[in-house]
Amino acid sequence: MILRNWLAMVLLLSPAPRYTTALWPIPSSLSRGATAVKLSSVFDIHIDISSPPADLVAAVSRTRSRITTDRFQRLVIGRSTTDISSISSARTLTSLSLALHPGSLVRSIADETNQPITSRSEVYSLAITGDRPSAILIANSTLGLFRGLATFEQLWYDLNGTKYLLDGGIDIVDQPAFPYRGFSFDTSRNFYPVADILRTIDAMSWVKLSILYWHVIDSQSFPLHVEAYPELAEKGAYSAEEIYSQNDIRTIVQYANERGVDVVMELDSPGHTTAIGAAHPELIACAAKSPWASYASEPPAGQLRIASPATVEFAKTLFDSVASVLPSKMMSSGGDEVNLPCWEEDEETETDLAERNITIADALNDFVQAVQGVITSHGKTPFIKSDMVLTHNVPVVNDTVVVVWQTSEDAVSVAERNLRFIHQPSNYFYLDCGAGEWLGNDVLGNSWCDPFKTWQRAYSFDPLANLTEDQHHLVLGGQMPIWSEQSSPENLDPIIWPRLAVAAEVFWTGATLPDGSPRLGPNATSGRNALARLNELRYRLVDRGVSAIALQPKWCVLRPGECDLDS
Amino acid sequence: MRFLSLLLALAPAAGVFGLWPQPRSLETGSTALKLASDFDIHVSVQHPPSDLSDAVSRTKSFLQNDKLGRLVVGRGSSDSSALKTAKSLKTLQLSLSKGATVRSITEESRLALGTRSEEYILDIPADGSTATLTANSTLGLLRGLTTFSQLFYEWSGQIYTVEAPISITDAPAYPWRGLMLDTSRNFFPVADIMRTLDAMSLVKMSQFHWHVTDSQSFPLVIPGFTELANAGAYDPSMVYSPSDVQDIVDYAGARGIDVMVEIDTPGHTAIIGAAHPEYVACAEASPWTTFANEPPAGQLRLASATVANFTAKMFTAVAKMFPSTVLSTGGDELNTECYAQDSETQADLTSTGRTLEQALSVFTQTTHGALKAAGKTPAVWEEMVLDHNVTLSNETVVLVWISSMNAAAVAEKNFRLVHAPSDYFYLDCGAGEWIGDDVANSWCDPFKTWQKAYTFDPQANISASQAHLVLGGEQALWTEQSGPENLDPIVWPRAAASAEVFWTGPGGNGSEALPRLHDVAFRMRQRGVKAIQLQPMWCALRPGQCNLDS
């Protein structure tokens, strides 16, 4: 038992694991006291804004309701009952007051969320002083207030209906390091009902993610109703029930925008478009051609016939029709993994090229220029996948945002071209990796991007690695994607949560923690540090009905640091 | 087997739909046959046991409610013309072969391993005349009903097959077709366990291995030893009461599943120290890496007669809760350093004049003696046979887990064995490290795909004279990184892979299997089990078109 004593001594000597405000993402500036505070039974949230926007009122009402219904207890041995005496002597907080700084414009959260990505204001300050009955949340915008509400909600523990915290005297001044904090969602390989998307948006908003990058269509299915071409979904969706109607899209976008999440839609093209051929076979080269491995990165093969003027016109109308129903100032034309043999062996494409006396590279440039032209004509910033720029050297509109996906190493090359970009590297952020091969007849194959990207791996990502200081402004942020070959509603929550929250902290908090220490400092993933906070977030997600996986046995969760490699 | 493979070779690739596991002998036609609106299942068994009647009701309910469309492009729409002229099946007739004893499914499921009768014969004529299901036991009838319910699809209100006539003669290759669930690292409510039993039953699994306790929590309420769960469960709500256990074993038994409980000893017992600190050596000692394979450290003081007697009595009490003939005392990952540094254990060893190995043998004989007295066959993890010099009775069942390579060594020692190799069957591997402050991957990386599990050969490196020692095998979910939130998707449909290996026998072709595995996974989803998608639905509807070489 000498060992026990030694351990106890170490615990006493080491800085107390005071992580009671286990906020995720951790605010950029945070100080806290040691006063227990509980919410009054008549606790209320006041909005000190004349004619507050409806979505702010609704957000406040959701926060008030969640604070009541959350049943999450503090993660210590004995849970919240340990705190009974602290709670009985706690000061009472009767209200939270929301206000905008003088001179701020009063716009709805949705309006703020749809501002250009670099001109959004998400900064807020939140003070819960130990001696005042009212807490104060101030921001420059309703979006900032919304971020502050997300923080406020994470502060409280429950004991038999009483909501309390132990480190009152909280002072938070917070803002994101990067504006683009996203989740890329593939709804084509397998379909997800609207309810799953809405639940995901809710959870995203709780960790201050700002972008839903919706990879809505691909070669396998076309679930998007397009006003100009309803036949695309009618023929290309998996079934009539597996279509996002105009109404569904409005619902999703509005739901997201009111929760500070901007919806950036990707219509991946000219590759990844086989499903268009179900309605328009004349537009698709090498459709479902065999062996697929010669013509595509995955089955079924099939790409738009980019050399055909009719196909380009079709694509322009498609982008125009979709762009006109989306409020976001951003839209993506994808562009990954185009396959040259598919076009080289396509008679129609070869004929078109010969007639127009152009190369396939010319046709690709023209195609990208055409769809980017449509996107910009709608006042939107075009996004494009990194291989279009790095592999195919396609000229792009100046303010294009490049989605760096193949490897984190590619970020530098994009920066050297002076293009803005977001990080979505498969070697850090792909949520689908590591679950084995999904192709048939490949018995011992593992997934192409093995191994599984652990939360620790994602957390170790440095958004500014290898970049010069004058390139830093090119980094808008980043996102974790789920590609859905092996995912569906059945495993959506467990495969994305809580790992997706890691991207939220990497891009909200940036390289440093509130005390100025590096996020990736020693023991960053210790159960005393990020892991403790992430465990807490996971339990809060589960409490709210999101089926996030367990990161550890509960024994470890209740004993931060005791399940470290070196403990 | 030659006859069987000939049949399989002749069957058209797309002809065999949803059966999983594949029957040992199967003939199908290509005629559509639908269920009559007044379709019924008649049981020609005098005084049928109530669990057989329940199984018949469930089968009728599945037939009505599965509403699974055939996995082809257009789902069932291409069958509509065939359905117009299809004959209607009015009756499925169940009977036992002459002279068969009528016992409940539950009783049959709990018979000793190797004495259960699961074979059945199912005949479905194409002309609408009565289909027949015969077996030697009610358990065989249950297996046949399971097959029957997997044959039917729904389109536009019609429930039908397009493969009549169907003739199946079926029996499992191995009696032990299992799934292991760890309910200690994280807790699972009873409802999750029952849903898992339902899914197991759908693929004819026979054995639920319940790793109920471990070092992290003790959720099992044992009459006479209630202090263990009182002090060791994560929460008063996170326990399995005796009535929960009764419900679970009854639910399992009615579905053809025997429940082998494991109380892992003498390692993996730190949490017993919450109630009895004096029984546990190196409890929560640091650094845990010196004293255990994972935190928290802590093992029963096996050299203490008091502890051995306590453990034996606990097993006697546990044996009364579980009707199975098999009960596991665990025995994996014993850490000798824990005992070397424990002064109480050293004092006990000195006073008895025993080595640690001798003390372990005495301890094991004490616990196994208690099981034997309770009429149970003990099961142990492989180290008890391969790493330690423990005297075990001949009938002991040994679970091989460290590596598939170790099965042969167990067989050479003439013990019956169950395959649970981490290199094929561990469902938890590949999700990264759960230990804090370590950015490594999981110890048993990579993820064990269904394809890998499906390639398992139960007789590899085992001589013909030892072949009979192989009882079967099981896939296992250790739950350091799992909970109710991901139970279904991490287990299903992967765990069905071994269900087929041990029912149909090894050597199945993964490309042939994939469409059927899709089918059973889709059926699981229809029944509320959140089985993951193995491929984009585009591929699921087009068998063979998403192969590596297609």
Side-chain angles (χ1 to χ4, degrees):
Chain A
M1 288 305 92
I2 288 165
L3 288 162
R4 282 305 293 274
N5 294 338
W6 177 81
L7 177 65
M9 201 160 73
V10 169
L11 287 174
L12 284 173
L13 291 175
S14 61
R18 283 201 54 86
Y19 69 101
T20 54
T21 49
L23 298 171
W24 193 285
I26 199 158
S28 53
S29 161
L30 166 67
S31 65
R32 49 199 165 183
T35 309
V37 178
K38 64 186 167 196
L39 292 184
S40 158
S41 58
V42 295
F43 171 80
D44 206 356
I45 303 177
H46 305 296
I47 307 176
D48 296 336
I49 299 170
S50 54
S51 333
D55 60 7
L56 179 64
V57 174
V60 162
S61 154
R62 285 196 305 274
T63 296
R64 201 160 35 201
S65 152
R66 277 200 288 261
I67 285 175
T68 310
T69 55
D70 283 353
R71 283 287 175 268
F72 173 70
Q73 297 203 348
R74 201 155 72 87
L75 290 174
V76 290
I77 299 169
R79 307 297 296 269
S80 291
T81 53
T82 326
D83 301 325
I84 284 178
S85 68
S86 303
I87 295 168
S88 66
S89 61
R91 290 173 180 275
T92 300
L93 188 71
T94 54
S95 68
L96 169 68
S97 291
L98 271 55
L100 291 175
H101 285 294
S104 304
L105 282 176
V106 181
R107 288 187 292 217
S108 69
I109 297 170
D111 279 350
E112 297 287 355
T113 301
N114 284 316
Q115 293 300 309
I117 184 78
T118 50
S119 55
R120 296 175 194 168
S121 172
E122 301 184 86
V123 61
Y124 69 93
S125 60
L126 174 65
I128 304 176
T129 50
D131 51 357
R132 277 199 218 143
S134 181
I136 295 171
L137 171 59
I138 301 178
N140 294 327
S141 74
T142 54
L143 181 59
L145 292 176
F146 181 74
R147 299 298 180 220
L149 286 171
T151 301
F152 187 78
E153 286 178 18
Q154 280 189 4
L155 290 170
W156 305 97
Y157 302 103
D158 174 81
L159 179 64
N160 304 325
T162 300
K163 311 296 162 175
Y164 70 98
L165 52 78
L166 298 177
D167 42 7
I170 293 173
D171 212 336
I172 294 171
V173 180
D174 197 13
Q175 63 180 328
F178 299 94
Y180 193 110
R181 306 176 303 278
F183 171 51
S184 168
F185 199 175
D186 165 13
T187 59
S188 169
R189 271 58 178 259
N190 284 303
F191 179 83
Y192 298 79
V194 172
D196 290 309
I197 299 177
L198 300 184
R199 187 180 65 257
T200 302
I201 290 167
D202 271 321
M204 286 171 67
S205 76
W206 301 335
V207 292
K208 305 186 176 76
L209 285 167
S210 62
I211 307 282
L212 173 64
Y213 184 97
W214 193 357
H215 180 91
V216 62
I217 56 165
D218 208 296
S219 276
Q220 286 82 359
S221 79
F222 198 106
L224 180 72
H225 173 84
V226 177
E227 206 60 38
Y229 299 114
E231 68 274 21
L232 292 173
E234 280 161 17
K235 299 265 177 64
Y238 279 135
S239 72
E241 293 75 43
E242 291 166 289
I243 292 175
Y244 302 108
S245 68
Q246 288 292 89
N247 195 38
D248 291 337
I249 294 158
R250 261 194 304 275
T251 301
I252 289 166
V253 169
Q254 187 179 346
Y255 194 91
N257 292 170
E258 290 173 353
R259 285 159 182 78
V261 176
D262 184 4
V263 180
V264 179
M265 191 172 278
E266 174 182 303
L267 300 179
D268 201 353
S269 59
H272 291 274
T273 46
T274 316
I276 289 174
H280 290 287
E282 73 282 4
L283 300 177
I284 301 297
C286 73
K289 194 169 175 179
S290 176
W292 62 263
S294 300
Y295 306 105
S297 297
E298 69 179 52
Q303 302 183 155
L304 286 172
R305 286 184 166 131
I306 52 171
S308 143
T311 304
V312 176
E313 281 311 305
F314 164 86
K316 285 165 71 176
T317 307
L318 171 67
F319 273 88
D320 182 64
S321 182
V322 174
S324 62
V325 299
L326 297 171
S328 179
K329 296 284 189 296
M330 302 178 277
M331 186 172 181
S332 178
S333 62
D336 54 314
E337 300 184 317
V338 297
N339 180 294
L340 297 177
C342 168
W343 286 317
E344 285 160 9
E345 296 183 24
D346 182 51
E347 241 174 70
E348 286 84 341
T349 298
E350 290 306 304
T351 307
D352 286 332
L353 291 174
E355 272 178 15
R356 299 171 60 196
N357 195 25
I358 57 171
T359 65
I360 193 70
D362 297 333
L364 188 58
N365 293 349
D366 291 350
F367 179 87
V368 171
Q369 198 177 2
V371 296
Q372 286 206 328
V374 176
I375 293 171
T376 50
S377 77
H378 282 271
K380 299 186 197 300
T381 300
F383 277 49
I384 201 159
K385 291 283 171 72
S386 48
D387 38 343
M388 277 285 109
V389 172
L390 300 180
T391 309
H392 301 285
N393 285 304
V394 170
V396 293
V397 174
N398 271 344
D399 72 339
T400 297
V401 177
V402 178
V403 181
V404 177
W405 70 274
Q406 281 158 309
T407 159
S408 53
E409 303 293 313
D410 289 342
V412 175
S413 313
V414 173
E416 280 164 3
R417 290 168 196 239
N418 209 31
L419 289 167
R420 296 189 302 170
F421 63 91
I422 60 166
H423 291 287
Q424 185 194 284
S426 63
N427 54 334
Y428 282 87
F429 284 171
Y430 273 31
L431 295 166
D432 54 313
C433 304
E437 177 62 279
W438 61 269
L439 294 169
N441 207 20
D442 185 16
V443 174
L444 298 181
N446 286 313
S447 77
W448 73 271
C449 52
D450 249 25
F452 181 86
K453 304 305 169 232
T454 64
W455 78 264
Q456 298 95 326
R457 168 78 178 166
Y459 197 71
S460 74
F461 186 77
D462 178 357
L464 301 177
N466 306 320
L467 299 174
T468 62
E469 212 157 301
D470 57 355
Q471 290 169 333
H472 288 181
H473 72 282
L474 298 171
V475 185
L476 292 182
Q479 63 188 9
M480 294 177 100
I482 183 71
W483 301 106
S484 297
E485 286 87 351
Q486 296 161 300
S487 287
S488 60
E490 288 74 20
N491 67 329
L492 174 63
D493 287 3
I495 204 160
I496 70 175
W497 298 109
R499 282 190 295 158
L500 177 57
V502 173
E505 178 150 309
V506 167
F507 294 106
W508 180 280
T509 311
T512 43
L513 293 171
D515 62 2
S517 64
R519 180 171 51 79
L520 301 175
N523 309 317
T525 62
S526 157
R528 293 181 206 287
N529 295 320
L531 177 54
R533 289 187 297 109
L534 195 56
N535 273 333
E536 175 160 332
L537 176 72
R538 180 266 173 185
Y539 276 77
R540 286 186 185 273
L541 286 167
V542 170
D543 184 47
R544 290 186 180 178
V546 175
S547 295
I549 59 162
L551 297 173
Q552 293 192 307
K554 192 174 176 184
W555 191 92
C556 304
V557 173
L558 299 180
R559 295 164 180 82
E562 290 195 37
C563 292
D564 282 0
L565 186 61
D566 50 359
S567 55
Chain B
M1 285 308 285
R2 174 168 302 200
F3 174 66
L4 174 63
S5 52
L6 186 71
L7 277 179
L8 289 175
L10 289 175
V16 183
F17 295 121
L19 296 181
W20 192 284
Q22 181 83 292
R24 306 293 290 286
S25 161
L26 166 70
E27 287 175 80
T28 57
S30 54
T31 305
L33 175 70
K34 58 192 178 192
L35 291 189
S37 56
D38 57 348
F39 168 80
D40 207 355
I41 300 176
H42 294 163
V43 183
S44 309
V45 175
Q46 291 233 317
H47 310 296
S50 65
D51 60 6
L52 179 61
S53 305
D54 291 346
V56 165
S57 301
R58 279 200 310 277
T59 303
K60 287 195 283 190
S61 161
F62 290 143
L63 288 165
Q64 290 303 319
N65 299 324
D66 277 358
K67 295 198 189 328
L68 175 63
R70 215 146 64 74
L71 293 182
V72 292
V73 177
R75 308 303 292 266
S77 61
S78 53
D79 301 327
S80 52
S81 67
L83 283 174
K84 277 182 194 141
T85 57
K87 296 280 197 296
S88 291
L89 178 66
K90 280 189 167 18
T91 308
L92 170 66
Q93 184 90 21
L94 268 54
S95 56
L96 290 175
S97 21
K98 270 184 194 159
T101 314
V102 181
R103 283 185 292 223
S104 70
I105 296 170
T106 303
E107 287 173 90
E108 298 282 355
S109 305
R110 294 171 182 168
L111 292 176
L113 286 156
T115 66
R116 299 172 195 165
S117 168
E118 301 185 82
E119 66 269 26
Y120 67 92
I121 296 172
L122 176 63
D123 265 298
I124 307 175
D127 62 1
S129 58
T130 297
T132 58
L133 170 60
T134 57
N136 294 326
S137 75
T138 54
L139 179 58
L141 291 176
L142 173 74
R143 300 302 182 218
L145 285 169
T146 304
T147 299
F148 188 81
S149 80
Q150 283 186 6
L151 289 168
F152 289 89
Y153 299 90
E154 193 263 1
W155 174 255
S156 196
Q158 306 265 37
I159 297 155
Y160 68 99
T161 171
V162 292
E163 296 183 284
I166 295 165
S167 181
I168 293 171
T169 304
D170 203 8
Y174 296 93
W176 188 297
R177 304 176 307 279
L179 176 69
M180 193 218 79
L181 179 65
D182 162 12
T183 59
S184 170
R185 271 60 177 255
N186 282 302
F187 179 82
F188 295 80
V190 172
D192 290 307
I193 295 176
M194 289 185 170
R195 190 178 64 258
T196 302
L197 292 166
D198 279 324
M200 289 173 66
S201 181
L202 174 58
V203 293
K204 302 189 176 73
M205 284 179 151
S206 60
Q207 204 73 36
F208 177 54
H209 173 179
W210 191 358
H211 182 90
V212 64
T213 64
D214 209 295
S215 273
Q216 285 81 359
S217 78
F218 201 104
L220 184 67
V221 180
I222 305 169
F225 297 82
T226 50
E227 74 278 10
L228 295 172
N230 283 345
Y234 279 136
D235 186 88
S237 67
M238 292 182 164
V239 295
Y240 304 106
S241 70
S243 81
D244 290 337
V245 170
Q246 181 78 45
D247 290 348
I248 287 168
V249 297
D250 286 352
Y251 196 88
R255 284 154 183 79
I257 297 166
D258 185 28
V259 179
M260 180 188 77
V261 71
E262 174 190 349
I263 309 286
D264 202 353
T265 57
H268 290 272
T269 46
I271 201 66
I272 288 177
H276 295 290
E278 70 281 14
Y279 292 171
V280 175
C282 72
E284 299 182 30
S286 177
W288 60 264
T289 45
T290 304
F291 302 104
N293 282 38
E294 69 180 50
Q299 304 185 146
L300 286 173
R301 287 187 164 126
L302 55 78
S304 149
T306 309
V307 173
N309 288 334
F310 162 84
T311 311
K313 282 180 184 151
M314 176 185 72
F315 272 116
T316 301
V318 172
K320 287 185 185 138
M321 302 173 75
F322 290 86
S324 175
T325 59
V326 201
L327 201 156
S328 175
T329 57
D332 56 320
E333 300 184 319
L334 201 63
N335 181 296
T336 51
E337 194 59 27
C338 169
Y339 294 125
Q341 296 195 21
D342 182 52
S343 53
E344 286 84 342
T345 298
Q346 292 309 314
D348 285 329
L349 290 174
T350 305
S351 70
T352 54
R354 290 180 184 134
T355 64
L356 184 64
E357 284 298 319
Q358 288 167 335
L360 175 62
S361 192
V362 170
F363 176 87
T364 307
Q365 286 173 56
T366 308
T367 56
H368 285 199
L371 290 184
K372 199 171 179 191
K376 305 291 188 190
T377 302
V380 294
W381 292 112
E382 62 172 271
E383 293 103 306
M384 287 289 114
V385 171
L386 299 181
D387 296 355
H388 299 290
N389 190 17
V390 173
T391 305
L392 295 169
S393 63
N394 289 337
E395 78 269 19
T396 305
V397 175
V398 179
L399 287 91
V400 178
W401 71 275
I402 297 174
S403 162
S404 54
M405 303 302 287
N406 294 350
V410 172
E412 272 162 26
K413 298 199 176 218
N414 211 31
F415 282 106
R416 296 188 296 170
L417 65 94
V418 170
H419 292 287
S422 61
D423 51 338
Y424 282 84
F425 285 169
Y426 272 26
L427 296 166
D428 55 313
C429 305
E433 180 59 274
W434 60 269
I435 295 291
D437 209 16
D438 181 16
V439 291
N441 288 312
S442 77
W443 71 271
C444 54
D445 248 25
F447 182 86
K448 305 304 171 233
T449 63
W450 76 264
Q451 298 95 322
K452 169 86 174 173
Y454 196 68
T455 62
F456 187 77
D457 177 1
Q459 298 293 347
N461 306 317
I462 290 174
S463 70
S465 64
Q466 291 160 346
H468 69 282
L469 295 170
V470 180
L471 293 175
E474 62 184 32
Q475 282 167 278
L477 182 65
W478 301 102
T479 56
E480 285 88 350
Q481 296 162 300
S482 288
E485 295 74 21
N486 67 331
L487 175 62
D488 289 6
I490 204 165
V491 170
W492 303 110
R494 275 194 297 158
S498 65
E500 179 152 305
V501 167
F502 294 109
W503 179 282
T504 315
N509 175 318
S511 298
E512 179 277 330
L514 177 56
R516 290 186 298 106
L517 191 56
H518 270 308
D519 204 297
V520 78
F522 272 77
R523 200 175 288 276
M524 283 182 179
R525 283 176 218 124
Q526 295 300 99
R527 294 188 189 179
V529 176
K530 295 186 171 184
I532 59 160
Q533 293 281 1
L534 299 170
Q535 293 190 312
M537 193 167 169
W538 191 92
C539 305
L541 300 181
R542 293 164 180 85
Q545 288 197 37
C546 292
N547 284 349
L548 186 62
D549 49 2
S550 56

